[in-house]
Amino acid sequence: MPLFSTRPNRRPRMSRSLGDAQLAKALGKLSKRGSGKAADAELIAELLDKTGDDWDLRGHRVSVLAGAASGTGIAETWLERDPDDADALVFHSWTTLVRALEERRLDDTDTLITRCHRAAELSPEDPLPWVVLLGTARVVRFDHKDVDALWRQATDRDPWNREAFLQMLALLSPEEGGSSASVLDFVDAVRTRIPANAPCAAVELTAAVRQYQGLLAQGGMRAMTAGQLFESGHPAAALHQAAALWPKPGFFQHAAAPADLNVLAYALCAAGRAADAHPVFQALQGTVTPWPWDVDGPAVQRYEQHMAKAERGRQGGIGGG
């Protein structure tokens, strides 16, 4: 799947598939068919079957499709038809998690846990049942030892699983009952071990952007000086390395690479380095993700504003801040 293109920059648009043509085709068919039809379940089942044991691509497709199918009845239809199918169990569990995270509650934790464990029995090498359980801990707040065990189960199967890292990052965040110190401890523990082009390579920069947005939300002097977060220490080093490497054609190969490039473009603009974000916007070819742009306005509009600032900064030969 070509992640980057040399064609002229296209008009910014929101993209759930992030350049995955087969996923985009499936999403288009789902949106036309309506909810709960057996044909929709079959469509998803076929796509996941074709994905095989590419855990990165599988995680991307399951998470996107679960978000699209949540509340439609598709997952329920599939599971009723194939109650002992690992893909059906994982997909139903993920759609349940999507709703639980939106509502910040889970009505039947035991059933979700049972289904994830059954999926793990049926497909022992798949990290996704354990990733779903990590996400479940964001709502139910499992004991620390249980969370550590889930983390080991997921990463033993796929050491750089992007979804596992993002679920853990959210779980530890102060917004979800954790703390800034817990996030920093986690990032410190994994920083030096993650390969520069791994699917989870953006975890440190993601944490920094969330911290930056937290400072903005506080207002006052903290908001006015939030950009200084990227001027020194580990956040500055992470941003510098990402800006130098990530936009290069072929550097990233994971399915959600455009989402991570959105984080990089945002961080560079937040740091007052809009001109340096220009090659990132060029690599993105207009592919917009809701976060991190949507915290202070419509995502596409904010993306366009920052992209224009990056172009002005490049033409002026300055940072563009």
Side-chain angles (χ1 to χ4, degrees), residues 17 22 114 142 194 197 219 225 268 277 317:
S17 66
Q22 292 183 43
T114 298
F142 296 160
I194 299 174
N197 64 341
T225 60
L268 286 167

Side-chain angles (χ1 to χ4, degrees), residues 14-72:
M14 203 78 73
S15 173
R16 291 184 291 180
S17 66
L18 301 180
D20 181 343
Q22 292 183 43
L23 176 58
K25 184 177 180 180
L27 288 169
K29 289 183 177 180
L30 287 179
S31 65
K32 294 175 183 177
R33 285 176 172 162
S35 62
K37 292 185 178 180
D40 293 325
E42 183 62 31
L43 177 69
I44 296 173
E46 289 178 359
L47 180 60
L48 295 184
D49 183 62
K50 291 177 182 177
T51 308
D53 60 359
D54 183 336
W55 305 130
D56 172 68
L57 183 59
R58 177 172 161 81
H60 172 57
R61 288 177 170 176
V62 170
S63 64
V64 171
L65 287 166
S70 179
T72 66

Side-chain angles (χ1 to χ4, degrees), residues 156-198:
D156 282 351
R157 288 162 173 77
D158 186 13
W160 314 122
N161 186 281
R162 183 177 183 273
E163 288 291 341
F165 276 78
L166 292 180
Q167 294 294 341
M168 186 63 105
L169 194 64
L171 170 67
L172 296 173
S173 70
E175 293 79 14
E176 298 195 11
S179 66
S180 297
S182 296
V183 171
L184 290 175
D185 287 344
F186 173 64
V187 172
D188 285 343
V190 301
R191 175 187 295 112
T192 59
R193 297 190 288 110
I194 299 174
N197 64 341

Side-chain angles (χ1 to χ4, degrees), residues 11-128:
R11 183 175 180 82
R13 74 283 178 202
M14 203 78 73
S15 173
R16 291 184 291 180
S17 66
L18 301 180
D20 181 343
Q22 292 183 43
L23 176 58
K25 184 177 180 180
L27 288 169
K29 289 183 177 180
L30 287 179
S31 65
K32 294 175 183 177
R33 285 176 172 162
S35 62
K37 292 185 178 180
D40 293 325
E42 183 62 31
L43 177 69
I44 296 173
E46 289 178 359
L47 180 60
L48 295 184
D49 183 62
K50 291 177 182 177
T51 308
D53 60 359
D54 183 336
W55 305 130
D56 172 68
L57 183 59
R58 177 172 161 81
H60 172 57
R61 288 177 170 176
V62 170
S63 64
V64 171
L65 287 166
S70 179
T72 66
I74 296 173
E76 288 76 11
T77 297
W78 186 9
L79 190 60
E80 288 172 5
R81 187 192 70 185
D82 300 312
D84 284 321
D85 182 274
D87 284 349
L89 285 159
V90 166
F91 188 72
H92 189 282
S93 298
W94 206 304
T95 60
T96 301
L97 175 61
V98 169
R99 292 195 299 271
L101 290 171
E102 289 174 350
E103 299 171 1
R104 302 312 305 173
R105 66 184 180 86
L106 182 59
D107 294 329
D108 193 348
T109 305
D110 290 343
T111 297
L112 177 57
I113 292 174
T114 298
R115 285 173 177 158
C116 287
H117 281 289
R118 179 59 178 151
E121 290 174 3
L122 293 167
S123 183
E125 296 180 352
D126 189 353
L128 289 193

